[in-house]
Amino acid sequence: MNKPDKQRGLVLVYTGDGKGKTTAALGLAVRACGRGKRVLVIQFIKSPDRTYGEKIMFDKMGIEMHQKGIGFTWLKTPDEHREALKEAWAFTKEKVMSGVYDVVILDELNNALSISTFPIDDVLPLREVLELIGSRPQGMHMVITGRNVHPEVKNKADLVTEMTPLKHYYDEGIPAVKGIEF
């Protein structure tokens, strides 16, 4: 009988149309930090030009977080998004393979991989994402969030949780709430 390898590092995916994917990943970051783990969060869509509550708190806690995106895809040109994602992916590969971190959270990577308004594979190749998941340093846990998880990313994961909306205040016209969404 094979015993599970507790040292291999896990791949966790939080996906689906419901709220809570990033929130779950950030909660995991706090838990890992509390246990002395070195945590890195890279956000693929969120822009450093906006203020986010999690970034404010993580800076105080010593959790390294980088917003590498430029915001929602409909607010900027495809070329601007392509360049930002290209830079984000190069940054991600370097950070993951540095061996410095115990937990790496790739927030909204699924969203980035599923962009269909412009060619994505030449700046964020799925093949390279799968290779990075498989070749990350021994023991590193990786968390990937965002809607529309690619089936091949799902197959690489040890855990996939799908957030399903049952009711949401957006449907009543309540916009994003400071301290809840950002």
Side-chain angles (χ1 to χ4, degrees):
M1 183 162 95
N2 290 336
K3 294 175 76 174
D5 180 359
K6 293 182 180 182
Q7 304 303 314
R8 71 179 168 90
L10 300 171
V11 177
L12 294 82
V13 172
Y14 300 132
T15 192
D17 292 331
K19 179 177 169 23
K21 298 172 288 292
T22 296
T23 304
L26 300 181
L28 185 148
V30 170
R31 177 178 286 158
C33 180
R35 291 294 186 175
K37 304 288 186 192
R38 297 161 299 174
V39 179
L40 170 68
V41 181
I42 301 172
Q43 296 183 308
F44 279 79
I45 304 296
K46 289 181 178 162
S47 166
D49 295 336
R50 290 196 60 195
T51 303
Y52 299 96
E54 61 263 31
K55 174 72 170 137
I56 294 166
M57 195 63 218
F58 281 9
D59 285 347
K60 293 177 184 178
M61 296 173 68
I63 294 176
E64 187 177 341
M65 174 179 260
H66 302 273
Q67 281 98 18
K68 302 303 285 182
I70 57 171
F72 297 112
T73 55
W74 58 87
L75 296 177
K76 302 286 184 175
T77 68
D79 286 340
E80 289 172 305
H81 282 287
R82 287 172 53 74
E83 188 59 33
L85 288 169
K86 181 179 179 181
E87 290 175 19
W89 183 238
F91 178 84
T92 298
K93 291 186 294 186
E94 181 180 322
K95 288 291 205 172
V96 167
M97 296 311 291
S98 72
V100 171
Y101 307 98
D102 301 304
V103 177
V104 173
I105 296 171
L106 304 178
D107 188 40
E108 297 175 333
L109 176 62
N110 292 331
N111 301 54
L113 285 171
S114 69
I115 289 173
S116 61
T117 54
F118 56 84
I120 189 68
D121 203 56
D122 59 335
V123 295
L124 182 58
L126 176 63
R127 174 188 50 77
E128 288 186 16
V129 171
L130 299 171
E131 287 173 6
L132 188 69
I133 292 169
S135 65
R136 71 192 186 283
Q138 173 74 16
M140 176 187 285
H141 302 295
M142 184 174 280
V143 182
I144 302 169
T145 74
R147 297 170 188 253
N148 305 317
V149 62
H150 192 282
E152 291 186 59
V153 173
K154 185 189 293 187
N155 288 338
K156 287 269 190 185
D158 297 291
L159 174 139
V160 178
T161 296
E162 184 171 356
M163 309 299 191
T164 303
L166 300 178
K167 183 177 180 179
H168 201 300
Y169 44 86
Y170 282 177
D171 299 333
E172 297 174 23
I174 299 172
V177 178
K178 192 174 193 177
I180 302 296
E181 272 82 28
F182 63 97

